[in-house]
Coordinates of all heavy atoms in Angstrom, one line a residue:
Chain A
M1 N -54.0 11.5 17.1 CA -52.8 11.7 17.9 C -52.8 10.8 19.2 O -53.9 10.5 19.7 CB -52.7 13.2 18.4 CG -52.0 14.0 17.3 SD -50.3 13.5 17.1 CE -50.2 13.4 15.3
H12 N -40.5 5.2 24.4 CA -40.6 4.6 23.1 C -40.3 5.6 22.0 O -39.8 5.2 21.0 CB -42.1 4.1 22.9 CG -43.1 5.0 23.3 ND1 -43.7 5.1 24.5 CD2 -43.7 6.0 22.5 CE1 -44.6 6.1 24.5 NE2 -44.6 6.6 23.3
F16 N -37.8 4.7 19.0 CA -38.1 4.8 17.6 C -37.1 5.7 16.9 O -36.8 5.4 15.7 CB -39.5 5.3 17.5 CG -40.6 4.3 17.7 CD1 -41.7 4.6 18.5 CD2 -40.6 3.1 17.0 CE1 -42.7 3.7 18.7 CE2 -41.6 2.2 17.2 CZ -42.6 2.4 18.0
P19 N -32.2 4.7 16.3 CA -31.4 4.1 15.3 C -31.1 5.0 14.1 O -30.0 5.1 13.7 CB -32.2 2.8 14.9 CG -33.2 2.6 15.9 CD -33.4 3.9 16.6
Y24 N -27.5 8.2 11.0 CA -27.4 9.4 10.2 C -26.4 10.4 10.7 O -25.6 11.0 9.9 CB -28.9 10.0 10.2 CG -29.0 11.3 9.5 CD1 -28.9 11.5 8.1 CD2 -29.3 12.5 10.2 CE1 -29.1 12.7 7.5 CE2 -29.5 13.7 9.6 CZ -29.4 13.8 8.3 OH -29.6 15.0 7.7
T25 N -26.4 10.6 12.0 CA -25.5 11.6 12.6 C -24.1 11.1 12.5 O -23.2 11.8 12.1 CB -25.8 11.8 14.1 OG1 -27.2 12.1 14.1 CG2 -25.0 12.9 14.6
M28 N -23.2 10.4 8.4 CA -23.4 11.5 7.4 C -23.1 12.9 7.9 O -22.2 13.6 7.4 CB -24.9 11.4 6.9 CG -25.1 12.4 5.9 SD -26.4 11.8 4.8 CE -26.4 13.2 3.6
P31 N -19.3 13.2 9.7 CA -18.2 13.3 8.7 C -18.2 14.5 7.8 O -17.2 15.0 7.4 CB -18.4 12.0 7.8 CG -19.2 11.1 8.7 CD -20.0 11.9 9.6
T35 N -15.1 16.8 7.7 CA -14.4 17.1 6.5 C -14.2 18.6 6.3 O -13.1 19.0 6.0 CB -15.2 16.5 5.3 OG1 -15.3 15.1 5.5 CG2 -14.5 16.7 4.0
R48 N -0.8 16.6 12.4 CA -1.8 17.4 11.9 C -1.9 18.7 12.6 O -2.0 18.8 13.8 CB -3.1 16.6 12.1 CG -4.3 17.3 11.5 CD -5.5 16.3 11.4 NE -5.4 15.5 10.2 CZ -6.2 14.5 9.9 NH1 -7.2 14.2 10.7 NH2 -6.1 13.8 8.7
R104 N -51.6 5.4 -27.3 CA -51.4 3.9 -27.1 C -50.0 3.6 -26.8 O -49.1 4.4 -27.1 CB -51.9 3.1 -28.3 CG -53.4 3.4 -28.6 CD -53.8 2.6 -29.8 NE -53.9 1.2 -29.5 CZ -54.0 0.3 -30.5 NH1 -54.1 0.7 -31.8 NH2 -54.1 -1.0 -30.2
Y109 N -43.5 2.9 -23.9 CA -42.5 4.0 -24.1 C -41.8 4.5 -22.8 O -40.6 4.6 -22.7 CB -43.1 5.2 -24.8 CG -43.6 4.9 -26.2 CD1 -44.9 5.3 -26.6 CD2 -42.8 4.4 -27.2 CE1 -45.4 5.0 -27.9 CE2 -43.2 4.1 -28.5 CZ -44.5 4.5 -28.8 OH -45.0 4.3 -30.1
S111 N -41.5 3.0 -19.9 CA -40.5 2.0 -19.3 C -39.3 1.9 -20.1 O -38.2 1.8 -19.6 CB -41.2 0.6 -19.2 OG -42.4 0.7 -18.6
F114 N -36.9 4.9 -19.8 CA -36.3 4.9 -18.5 C -35.2 4.0 -18.3 O -34.4 4.1 -17.3 CB -37.4 4.7 -17.4 CG -37.0 5.3 -16.0 CD1 -37.1 6.6 -15.8 CD2 -36.7 4.4 -15.0 CE1 -36.8 7.2 -14.6 CE2 -36.3 5.0 -13.8 CZ -36.4 6.3 -13.6
I118 N -31.4 3.2 -15.2 CA -31.2 2.2 -14.2 C -29.8 1.5 -14.4 O -29.4 0.8 -13.5 CB -32.3 1.1 -14.2 CG1 -32.3 0.4 -15.5 CG2 -33.6 1.7 -13.9 CD1 -33.0 -0.9 -15.5
L119 N -29.2 1.8 -15.5 CA -27.9 1.2 -15.7 C -26.8 1.9 -14.9 O -26.9 3.1 -14.7 CB -27.5 1.2 -17.2 CG -28.5 0.5 -18.1 CD1 -28.1 0.6 -19.6 CD2 -28.6 -1.0 -17.8
S120 N -25.7 1.2 -14.6 CA -24.7 1.8 -13.8 C -23.8 2.6 -14.8 O -23.7 2.4 -16.0 CB -23.8 0.8 -13.1 OG -22.9 0.2 -13.9
F126 N -18.7 2.6 -20.6 CA -18.0 1.7 -21.5 C -18.8 1.5 -22.8 O -18.2 1.4 -23.9 CB -17.6 0.4 -20.8 CG -16.3 0.4 -20.3 CD1 -16.0 0.8 -19.0 CD2 -15.2 0.1 -21.1 CE1 -14.7 0.9 -18.5 CE2 -13.9 0.2 -20.6 CZ -13.6 0.6 -19.4
W128 N -20.8 3.4 -24.4 CA -20.6 4.5 -25.3 C -19.2 4.7 -25.8 O -19.0 5.1 -27.0 CB -21.1 5.8 -24.7 CG -22.6 5.9 -24.8 CD1 -23.5 5.7 -23.8 CD2 -23.4 6.3 -25.9 NE1 -24.8 5.8 -24.3 CE2 -24.7 6.2 -25.6 CE3 -23.0 6.7 -27.3 CZ2 -25.7 6.5 -26.5 CZ3 -24.0 6.9 -28.2 CH2 -25.4 6.9 -27.8
W136 N -13.9 0.2 -33.5 CA -15.1 -0.6 -33.7 C -15.8 -0.1 -35.0 O -16.2 -0.9 -35.8 CB -16.0 -0.7 -32.5 CG -16.9 -1.8 -32.5 CD1 -16.9 -2.8 -33.5 CD2 -17.9 -2.1 -31.6 NE1 -17.9 -3.8 -33.1 CE2 -18.5 -3.3 -32.0 CE3 -18.4 -1.5 -30.4 CZ2 -19.6 -3.9 -31.3 CZ3 -19.4 -2.1 -29.8 CH2 -20.0 -3.3 -30.2
I138 N -18.8 1.6 -35.2 CA -20.3 1.7 -35.3 C -20.7 3.1 -35.6 O -21.5 3.3 -36.6 CB -20.9 1.2 -34.0 CG1 -20.8 -0.3 -33.9 CG2 -22.4 1.6 -34.0 CD1 -21.6 -0.9 -32.8
W172 N -28.2 11.4 -22.1 CA -28.9 10.2 -22.6 C -29.3 9.3 -21.4 O -30.4 8.7 -21.4 CB -27.9 9.4 -23.5 CG -28.4 8.1 -23.9 CD1 -29.3 7.8 -24.9 CD2 -28.0 6.8 -23.3 NE1 -29.5 6.4 -25.0 CE2 -28.7 5.8 -24.0 CE3 -27.2 6.4 -22.3 CZ2 -28.6 4.5 -23.7 CZ3 -27.0 5.1 -22.0 CH2 -27.7 4.1 -22.7
V175 N -32.3 11.2 -18.9 CA -33.4 12.0 -19.4 C -34.7 11.4 -18.8 O -35.7 12.1 -18.7 CB -33.4 11.9 -21.0 CG1 -34.4 10.9 -21.5 CG2 -33.7 13.2 -21.6
L181 N -40.8 12.9 -13.8 CA -41.4 13.9 -12.8 C -42.3 14.9 -13.5 O -43.4 15.2 -13.0 CB -40.2 14.7 -12.2 CG -39.3 13.8 -11.3 CD1 -38.1 14.6 -10.8 CD2 -40.1 13.3 -10.1
D191 N -58.5 18.4 -15.1 CA -59.1 18.5 -16.5 C -59.9 19.7 -16.7 O -60.0 20.2 -17.8 CB -59.9 17.2 -16.7 CG -59.1 16.0 -16.9 OD1 -58.0 16.1 -17.4 OD2 -59.6 14.9 -16.5
E195 N -60.1 21.9 -20.0 CA -61.4 22.1 -20.7 C -61.8 23.5 -20.8 O -62.3 24.0 -21.9 CB -62.5 21.3 -20.0 CG -62.4 19.8 -20.4 CD -63.1 18.9 -19.4 OE1 -63.9 19.4 -18.6 OE2 -62.8 17.7 -19.4
E198 N -60.0 24.9 -23.6 CA -60.5 24.4 -24.9 C -61.7 25.3 -25.3 O -61.9 25.6 -26.5 CB -61.0 23.0 -24.8 CG -60.0 22.0 -25.3 CD -60.3 20.6 -25.0 OE1 -61.5 20.2 -25.1 OE2 -59.4 19.8 -24.5
N233 N -21.8 17.0 -8.1 CA -21.3 16.0 -7.3 C -21.0 14.8 -8.1 O -20.7 13.7 -7.6 CB -22.6 15.7 -6.4 CG -22.4 14.6 -5.4 OD1 -21.4 14.4 -4.9 ND2 -23.5 13.9 -5.2
F235 N -19.1 12.1 -10.7 CA -17.8 11.6 -10.7 C -17.8 10.3 -11.5 O -16.9 10.1 -12.4 CB -17.4 11.2 -9.2 CG -16.2 10.2 -9.1 CD1 -14.9 10.7 -9.3 CD2 -16.5 8.9 -8.9 CE1 -13.9 9.8 -9.3 CE2 -15.4 8.0 -8.8 CZ -14.1 8.4 -9.0
D236 N -18.7 9.4 -11.3 CA -18.7 8.0 -11.8 C -18.5 7.9 -13.3 O -17.7 7.1 -13.8 CB -19.9 7.3 -11.3 CG -20.2 7.4 -9.9 OD1 -20.2 8.5 -9.4 OD2 -20.4 6.4 -9.2
F263 N -7.4 13.7 -3.2 CA -7.6 13.0 -2.0 C -6.8 11.7 -2.0 O -6.2 11.3 -1.1 CB -9.1 12.9 -1.7 CG -9.4 11.8 -0.7 CD1 -8.7 11.8 0.5 CD2 -10.5 11.0 -0.9 CE1 -9.1 10.8 1.5 CE2 -10.9 10.1 0.1 CZ -10.2 10.0 1.3
S277 N -10.1 17.6 1.4 CA -11.2 18.2 2.2 C -11.5 19.6 1.7 O -12.6 20.1 1.8 CB -10.9 18.2 3.7 OG -10.5 17.0 4.1
A280 N -13.6 19.4 -1.2 CA -14.9 19.0 -0.7 C -15.7 20.2 -0.1 O -16.8 20.4 -0.4 CB -14.8 17.9 0.3
Chain B
M1 N -61.6 13.4 -18.6 CA -60.8 13.2 -19.9 C -61.1 14.4 -20.8 O -62.2 14.9 -21.0 CB -61.2 11.9 -20.6 CG -60.4 10.7 -20.2 SD -58.8 10.8 -21.0 CE -57.7 10.9 -19.6
S2 N -60.1 14.8 -21.5 CA -60.2 15.8 -22.5 C -61.0 15.2 -23.7 O -60.8 14.1 -24.1 CB -58.8 16.3 -22.9 OG -58.9 16.8 -24.2
T4 N -60.8 16.5 -26.8 CA -60.2 16.9 -28.0 C -60.1 15.7 -29.0 O -59.7 14.6 -28.6 CB -58.7 17.3 -27.8 OG1 -58.6 17.8 -26.5 CG2 -58.3 18.3 -28.9
H15 N -46.1 9.3 -32.1 CA -45.5 7.9 -32.1 C -44.2 7.9 -32.7 O -43.2 7.3 -32.2 CB -46.5 6.9 -32.8 CG -47.6 6.5 -31.9 ND1 -47.4 5.6 -30.9 CD2 -48.9 6.8 -31.9 CE1 -48.5 5.4 -30.3 NE2 -49.5 6.1 -30.9
Y21 N -37.1 8.1 -30.0 CA -36.3 8.2 -28.8 C -36.1 6.9 -28.1 O -35.1 6.6 -27.5 CB -37.0 9.2 -27.8 CG -35.9 9.7 -26.8 CD1 -35.0 10.7 -27.1 CD2 -35.7 8.9 -25.7 CE1 -34.0 11.0 -26.3 CE2 -34.6 9.3 -24.8 CZ -33.8 10.3 -25.2 OH -32.7 10.6 -24.4
T22 N -37.1 6.0 -28.2 CA -37.0 4.7 -27.6 C -35.8 3.9 -28.2 O -35.0 3.3 -27.5 CB -38.3 3.9 -27.8 OG1 -39.4 4.6 -27.3 CG2 -38.2 2.5 -27.1
I24 N -33.2 5.3 -29.6 CA -31.9 5.9 -29.1 C -31.6 5.4 -27.7 O -30.5 5.1 -27.4 CB -32.1 7.5 -29.0 CG1 -32.2 8.0 -30.4 CG2 -30.9 8.1 -28.3 CD1 -32.5 9.5 -30.5
A25 N -32.7 5.2 -26.9 CA -32.5 4.8 -25.5 C -32.0 3.3 -25.4 O -31.2 3.0 -24.6 CB -33.7 5.0 -24.7
V31 N -26.8 -3.2 -28.8 CA -25.5 -3.5 -29.5 C -24.6 -4.3 -28.6 O -24.0 -5.3 -29.0 CB -24.9 -2.1 -29.9 CG1 -23.5 -2.4 -30.4 CG2 -25.7 -1.5 -31.0
N35 N -23.6 -8.3 -29.5 CA -22.2 -8.5 -29.8 C -21.5 -9.4 -28.8 O -20.4 -10.0 -29.1 CB -21.4 -7.2 -30.0 CG -21.7 -6.6 -31.4 OD1 -21.3 -7.2 -32.4 ND2 -22.5 -5.6 -31.4
I43 N -17.7 -9.4 -34.5 CA -17.9 -8.2 -33.8 C -17.4 -7.0 -34.6 O -18.1 -6.0 -34.7 CB -17.2 -8.2 -32.5 CG1 -17.8 -9.2 -31.5 CG2 -17.2 -6.8 -31.8 CD1 -17.1 -9.4 -30.2
M94 N -39.3 3.6 11.6 CA -39.4 3.8 13.1 C -39.4 5.3 13.3 O -40.2 5.9 14.1 CB -38.3 3.1 13.8 CG -38.6 1.6 14.0 SD -37.1 0.7 14.4 CE -36.7 1.4 16.0
A100 N -44.3 11.3 13.0 CA -45.7 11.5 12.5 C -46.7 11.3 13.7 O -47.8 11.9 13.7 CB -46.0 10.6 11.4
E101 N -46.4 10.5 14.7 CA -47.4 10.1 15.6 C -47.3 10.9 16.9 O -48.4 11.2 17.5 CB -47.1 8.6 16.0 CG -48.0 8.0 17.0 CD -49.5 7.9 16.5 OE1 -49.7 8.1 15.3 OE2 -50.3 7.6 17.4
Y113 N -33.8 18.4 10.7 CA -32.4 17.9 10.8 C -32.3 16.6 9.9 O -31.3 16.5 9.2 CB -32.1 17.5 12.3 CG -30.8 16.8 12.5 CD1 -29.6 17.5 12.4 CD2 -30.8 15.5 13.0 CE1 -28.4 16.8 12.6 CE2 -29.6 14.8 13.2 CZ -28.4 15.5 13.0 OH -27.3 14.8 13.2
G117 N -30.2 15.9 4.8 CA -29.5 15.0 4.0 C -30.1 14.8 2.6 O -29.5 14.1 1.8
I120 N -28.1 17.5 0.6 CA -26.6 17.5 0.7 C -26.1 16.1 0.4 O -26.4 15.2 1.1 CB -26.2 18.0 2.1 CG1 -26.7 19.4 2.3 CG2 -24.6 18.0 2.1 CD1 -26.6 19.9 3.7
P121 N -25.3 16.0 -0.6 CA -24.7 14.6 -0.9 C -23.7 14.1 0.1 O -22.9 14.9 0.6 CB -24.1 14.8 -2.3 CG -24.0 16.2 -2.6 CD -24.8 17.0 -1.6
R123 N -21.3 12.3 -0.3 CA -19.9 12.2 -0.8 C -19.0 13.3 -0.3 O -17.8 13.2 -0.3 CB -20.0 12.3 -2.3 CG -20.4 11.0 -2.9 CD -20.3 11.1 -4.4 NE -20.9 9.9 -5.0 CZ -21.0 9.7 -6.3 NH1 -20.5 10.6 -7.1 NH2 -21.5 8.6 -6.7
I124 N -19.6 14.5 0.0 CA -18.8 15.6 0.5 C -18.0 15.2 1.7 O -16.9 15.7 1.9 CB -19.8 16.8 0.8 CG1 -20.6 17.2 -0.4 CG2 -19.0 18.0 1.4 CD1 -19.9 18.0 -1.4
G125 N -18.6 14.3 2.5 CA -17.9 13.9 3.7 C -17.0 12.7 3.6 O -16.5 12.2 4.6
A128 N -13.6 12.3 5.7 CA -13.7 11.9 7.1 C -14.4 10.6 7.3 O -14.1 9.8 8.2 CB -14.6 13.0 7.8
L130 N -13.8 8.0 5.4 CA -12.7 7.0 5.2 C -11.8 7.0 6.5 O -11.5 5.9 7.0 CB -11.8 7.4 4.0 CG -10.7 6.4 3.8 CD1 -11.1 5.0 3.5 CD2 -9.7 6.9 2.6
E131 N -11.5 8.2 7.0 CA -10.7 8.2 8.2 C -11.4 7.4 9.4 O -10.8 6.7 10.1 CB -10.4 9.6 8.7 CG -9.4 10.3 7.7 CD -8.8 11.5 8.3 OE1 -9.3 12.0 9.4 OE2 -7.8 12.0 7.7
D170 N -56.3 7.4 13.1 CA -56.1 7.5 14.5 C -56.9 6.5 15.3 O -56.5 5.9 16.3 CB -56.3 8.9 15.0 CG -55.2 9.8 14.7 OD1 -54.1 9.3 14.5 OD2 -55.4 11.0 14.7
Y184 N -45.0 -0.2 20.6 CA -44.2 -1.0 19.7 C -45.0 -1.9 18.9 O -44.9 -2.1 17.7 CB -43.1 -1.8 20.4 CG -42.2 -1.0 21.3 CD1 -42.3 -1.0 22.7 CD2 -41.3 -0.1 20.7 CE1 -41.6 -0.2 23.5 CE2 -40.5 0.7 21.5 CZ -40.7 0.7 22.9 OH -39.9 1.5 23.7
N212 N -25.7 0.5 -8.1 CA -24.8 1.1 -9.2 C -23.7 1.9 -8.7 O -22.9 2.4 -9.5 CB -25.7 1.9 -10.1 CG -26.5 1.1 -11.1 OD1 -26.2 -0.1 -11.3 ND2 -27.5 1.7 -11.6
L214 N -20.3 3.6 -7.6 CA -18.9 3.2 -7.8 C -18.0 3.9 -6.8 O -17.0 3.4 -6.4 CB -18.6 3.7 -9.2 CG -17.2 3.4 -9.8 CD1 -16.9 1.9 -9.8 CD2 -17.0 4.0 -11.2
W215 N -18.4 5.1 -6.4 CA -17.5 5.9 -5.5 C -17.2 5.3 -4.2 O -16.0 5.1 -3.9 CB -18.3 7.3 -5.3 CG -17.7 8.2 -4.3 CD1 -17.9 8.4 -3.0 CD2 -16.7 9.2 -4.6 NE1 -17.2 9.4 -2.5 CE2 -16.4 9.9 -3.5 CE3 -16.0 9.6 -5.8 CZ2 -15.5 11.0 -3.4 CZ3 -15.1 10.6 -5.7 CH2 -14.8 11.3 -4.6
I237 N -13.1 -4.8 -16.7 CA -13.1 -4.2 -18.0 C -11.8 -3.4 -18.3 O -11.2 -3.4 -19.3 CB -14.3 -3.3 -18.2 CG1 -15.6 -4.1 -18.3 CG2 -14.2 -2.5 -19.5 CD1 -16.8 -3.4 -18.1
V258 N -29.6 -5.9 -13.2 CA -30.4 -4.6 -13.1 C -31.6 -4.7 -13.9 O -32.7 -4.3 -13.5 CB -29.5 -3.4 -13.6 CG1 -30.1 -2.2 -12.9 CG2 -28.1 -3.6 -13.2
Y262 N -35.4 -4.4 -12.7 CA -36.2 -3.4 -13.3 C -37.5 -4.0 -13.8 O -38.6 -3.5 -13.6 CB -35.5 -2.7 -14.5 CG -36.3 -1.6 -15.1 CD1 -36.6 -0.5 -14.4 CD2 -36.6 -1.7 -16.5 CE1 -37.4 0.5 -15.0 CE2 -37.3 -0.7 -17.1 CZ -37.7 0.4 -16.3 OH -38.4 1.4 -16.9
L269 N -41.8 1.3 -9.4 CA -40.9 2.5 -9.5 C -41.7 3.6 -10.2 O -41.7 4.7 -9.7 CB -39.7 2.1 -10.3 CG -38.7 3.2 -10.6 CD1 -38.0 3.6 -9.4 CD2 -37.8 2.9 -11.8
V278 N -41.9 12.0 -4.7 CA -40.6 12.8 -4.5 C -40.8 14.3 -4.7 O -39.9 15.0 -4.9 CB -39.6 12.3 -5.6 CG1 -39.0 11.0 -5.2 CG2 -40.2 12.3 -7.0

Side-chain angles (χ1 to χ4, degrees):
Chain A
M1 272 298 131
H12 52 266
F16 279 131
Y24 173 71
T25 309
M28 184 150 182
T35 302
R48 187 163 273 179
R104 299 178 72 192
Y109 292 129
S111 309
F114 202 74
I118 63 162
L119 300 177
S120 79
F126 264 93
W128 278 101
W136 199 4
I138 288 195
W172 170 82
V175 101
L181 293 175
D191 287 330
E195 278 160 18
E198 260 169 47
N233 176 37
F235 161 80
D236 310 51
F263 165 43
S277 306
Chain B
M1 267 284 120
S2 153
T4 333
H15 280 286
Y21 201 85
T22 305
I24 296 174
V31 171
N35 281 291
I43 290 175
M94 284 163 64
E101 178 68 12
Y113 173 69
I120 299 167
R123 284 183 186 183
I124 303 285
L130 179 63
E131 290 198 346
D170 283 336
Y184 306 107
N212 283 340
L214 181 60
W215 175 264
I237 293 168
V258 203
Y262 182 62
L269 178 74
V278 284

